[in-house]
Amino acid sequence: MSWRPQYRSSKFRNVYGKVANREHCFDGVPITKNVHDNHFCAVNAKFLAIVTESAGGGSFLVIPLEQTGRIEPNYPKVCGHQGNVLDIKWNPFIENIIASCSEDTSVRIWEIPEGGLKRNMTEAVLELYGHSRRVGLVEWHPTANNVLFSAGYDYKVLIWNLDIGEPVKMIDCHTDVILCMSFNTDGSLLSTTCKDKKLRLIEPRSGKVLQEASCKNHRVNRVVFLGNVKRLLTTGVSRWNTRQIALWDQEDLAMPLVEEEIDGLSGLLFPFYDADTHMLYLAGKGDGNIRYYEIGTEKPYLNYLMEFRSPAPQKGLGVMPKHGLDVSACEVFRFYKLVTLKGLIEPISMIVPRRSETYQEDIYPMTPGTEPALTPDEWLSGMNRDPILMSLKEGYKKTSKVVFKAPIREKKSVVVNGIDLLENVPPRTENELLRMFFRQQDEIRRLKEELSQKDIRIRQLQLELKNLRNSPKNN
């Protein structure tokens, strides 16, 4: 009997990436030059939000998805922060609510009007103060409405109940800056990576660390839960400074199940997981490639499919939620790629090639929708529920009935776990003081120039008056 190679059949074996035409891209966007390792982009079925370069404070653009083409330089911005904006995330249940965090230590909730901004927005519906250092990450809870997580450079994760506009829990188990946060499907577990080279699995309501991995051979940067298969995937750097991914068993983080080296480039690897198709996408910061794999429950676990290649380097990537995809084109994933050098936002569709134009049920299972499964009080009391699922068969038409109502509250102390977070705030860092000094110097210089111009104008008027008095007509 002759030997035959074993071929693995997969419906996603021929998935390919398709870049949108230039007229369907967003051009002329002043993308931020900040070197913080975030995506600086967030997208939902209505809007695209991008953090922009700005002088004096932080800002971001919010553009309706249908408004493609060149963006005017004076396009209205959301510009209420006093420091650079470091992260933005759309509410998964209310499509015109977005959260942002900044170097000014605040987290802010913004309500975008229907149709987008007509003028600059400076007033947030909610301003949240609790961190004593800049805030680098925000994440919405996947199943509970109005529950927001924020991670700051004070090494703390705060859990905010937006119904009352206050922090209700604090996770204080990290010893260095938190790099990434990821939830499992029902939001009962939180996984974090930290600059102290540790991967942690945390019960978020109690703050208890359930599992901890000290990664000596694999320095972790990013982590993502792989749906309901009780697996975690991390990206990081090996001891030889090559980019690497590792697959972990959620129940035992003592050793990774698989470690695989990717390449020798230096840019951060961003992982994206699609629980509906069990596909993993790896995109490198600073390079234009997106690799994709299929995740299996048996060895070898990671099955390489293909690679999307592009010469334009990406600074970050936004991901469209499932209900915003074009199911008639068999689109299973869509990225919004930030190309800083060109000021361009480029949609990239991942498509399963099919001849039939009918709805493909095998690649579009029931997927999490826009209805929350829990209220904040239910989740905080200990309840867990899976997301409420929806079908994409008839196209996305159902609008969420959830409405955001900002609480009315007075300025007061913020006490979590018996600690007043706003009491004895540490002094400002040297960089913060220098930034304030230079900002004040610029303001003084501007005022001096205005006074100088006014002084010149006064002298001109005096000279004109003198000439009028000495003219022959007056004599």
Side-chain angles (χ1 to χ4, degrees):
M1 183 177 173
S2 62
W3 177 84
R4 292 188 180 183
Q6 299 256 333
Y7 290 106
R8 211 183 119 269
S9 65
S10 170
K11 63 187 85 167
F12 305 109
R13 187 176 56 196
N14 297 314
V15 168
Y16 65 95
K18 182 181 178 182
V19 180
N21 297 330
R22 191 65 184 237
E23 59 265 24
H24 294 119
C25 296
F26 301 84
D27 200 2
V29 180
I31 302 167
T32 180
K33 295 180 176 65
N34 196 312
V35 295
H36 194 72
D37 284 330
N38 270 348
H39 293 294
F40 300 111
C41 176
V43 64
N44 64 14
K46 285 186 178 180
F47 299 108
L48 171 69
I50 311 107
V51 179
T52 57
E53 190 70 14
S54 60
S59 64
F60 59 94
L61 286 173
V62 177
I63 308 168
L65 285 182
E66 63 274 8
Q67 194 174 327
T68 54
R70 186 154 192 86
I71 305 301
E72 295 298 323
N74 59 349
Y75 193 88
K77 296 179 181 178
V78 179
C79 49
H81 282 287
Q82 278 78 51
N84 291 328
V85 176
L86 299 180
D87 197 13
I88 48 176
K89 294 281 167 60
W90 289 104
N91 187 318
F93 310 117
I94 313 172
E95 292 189 322
N96 64 335
I97 296 293
I98 189 169
S100 64
C101 63
S102 165
E103 288 182 351
D104 63 10
T105 74
S106 73
V107 177
R108 302 193 185 198
I109 310 299
W110 310 86
E111 186 171 9
I112 308 301
E114 288 295 326
L117 299 175
K118 301 292 184 262
R119 60 183 65 87
N120 284 352
M121 179 177 281
T122 56
E123 292 294 322
V125 292
L126 209 52
E127 294 183 16
L128 309 172
Y129 291 94
H131 291 281
S132 57
R133 288 277 182 264
R134 58 180 173 168
V135 189
L137 294 169
V138 285
E139 286 287 347
W140 294 92
H141 192 276
T143 61
N145 188 35
N146 281 349
V147 175
L148 182 71
F149 285 62
S150 63
Y153 276 62
D154 51 7
Y155 313 156
K156 294 178 175 64
V157 177
L158 293 182
I159 305 175
W160 302 86
N161 179 356
L162 301 188
D163 282 355
I164 58 174
E166 293 180 3
V168 288
K169 301 283 182 183
M170 179 174 66
I171 301 171
D172 192 13
C173 59
H174 300 89
T175 59
D176 211 324
V177 176
I178 299 147
L179 302 174
C180 181
M181 296 188 291
S182 177
F183 289 99
N184 65 344
T185 306
D186 64 0
S188 60
L189 294 173
L190 172 70
S191 183
T192 64
T193 57
C194 183
K195 236 177 181 177
D196 62 9
K197 303 178 185 178
K198 289 184 179 179
L199 170 66
R200 292 176 175 87
L201 190 65
I202 301 166
E203 203 293 314
R205 282 165 290 218
S206 65
K208 181 182 177 183
V209 179
L210 306 176
Q211 295 272 337
E212 187 175 275
S214 295
C215 310
K216 295 178 182 177
N217 299 331
H218 172 74
R219 194 163 67 247
V220 292
N221 285 324
R222 291 292 181 272
V223 61
V224 63
F225 266 97
L226 301 182
N228 286 321
V229 297
K230 295 192 175 182
R231 297 275 193 273
L232 293 165
L233 184 123
T234 57
T235 66
V237 182
S238 72
R239 61 167 65 182
W240 296 282
N241 281 336
T242 56
R243 295 198 294 192
Q244 191 181 50
I245 58 175
L247 187 69
W248 305 79
D249 184 352
Q250 178 182 307
E251 307 293 337
D252 183 13
L253 299 183
M255 286 289 290
L257 298 171
V258 176
E259 284 183 347
E260 186 173 317
E261 292 190 8
I262 303 299
D263 56 33
L265 299 178
S266 59
L268 182 73
L269 271 179
F270 292 115
F272 303 90
Y273 182 66
D274 181 2
D276 294 346
T277 60
H278 307 292
M279 284 179 67
L280 170 75
Y281 300 87
L282 295 177
K285 184 177 181 180
D287 55 79
N289 303 344
I290 301 173
R291 298 171 176 86
Y292 37 104
Y293 300 75
E294 192 169 6
I295 303 293
T297 54
E298 299 176 354
K299 287 185 178 183
Y301 302 120
L302 291 167
N303 300 293
Y304 176 77
L305 293 172
M306 215 181 287
E307 182 176 2
F308 167 80
R309 295 188 178 184
S310 166
Q314 56 223 5
K315 184 182 181 69
L317 292 158
V319 173
M320 173 64 75
K322 277 286 181 172
H323 59 258
L325 299 179
D326 183 3
V327 295
S328 63
C330 295
E331 184 184 34
V332 291
F333 216 74
R334 190 192 303 164
F335 294 101
Y336 284 78
K337 174 179 172 179
L338 275 63
V339 185
T340 311
L341 297 176
K342 299 179 181 179
L344 184 70
I345 313 296
E346 192 176 64
I348 302 170
S349 298
M350 310 308 292
I351 294 172
V352 180
R354 294 282 171 95
R355 292 180 184 273
S356 174
E357 294 182 1
T358 59
Y359 181 71
Q360 307 292 312
E361 290 192 25
D362 60 325
I363 61 174
Y364 294 116
M366 297 287 283
T367 191
T370 57
E371 294 295 326
L374 294 166
T375 65
D377 291 336
E378 286 174 339
W379 182 76
L380 290 166
S381 68
M383 291 178 65
N384 293 317
R385 279 190 198 143
D386 287 331
I388 296 174
L389 303 180
M390 62 176 287
S391 170
L392 302 178
K393 186 169 184 177
E394 303 301 325
Y396 179 69
K397 294 177 182 177
K398 185 180 178 182
T399 55
S400 175
K401 295 177 182 177
V402 184
V403 177
F404 183 81
K405 188 176 180 182
I408 299 169
R409 59 198 179 107
E410 298 175 358
K411 295 273 185 184
K412 58 179 181 179
S413 61
V414 179
V415 179
V416 181
N417 296 358
I419 302 169
D420 188 346
L421 298 176
L422 299 183
E423 190 182 37
N424 301 322
V425 175
R428 293 182 184 272
T429 62
E430 186 179 349
N431 286 338
E432 289 170 334
L433 291 170
L434 281 171
R435 200 178 294 118
M436 287 180 65
F437 172 76
F438 288 127
R439 198 176 291 147
Q440 288 171 355
Q441 290 291 315
D442 290 340
E443 185 67 18
I444 290 168
R445 198 177 297 114
R446 186 184 64 79
L447 290 170
K448 281 182 177 178
E449 287 176 1
E450 284 183 5
L451 286 170
S452 175
Q453 293 290 333
K454 288 179 179 178
D455 190 38
I456 292 168
R457 182 60 183 154
I458 288 168
R459 288 179 183 177
Q460 287 175 345
L461 290 170
Q462 286 175 340
L463 186 62
E464 287 175 10
L465 186 62
K466 186 178 179 181
N467 290 336
L468 281 170
R469 285 175 177 170
N470 296 333
S471 64
K473 288 181 180 179
N474 290 335
N475 294 332

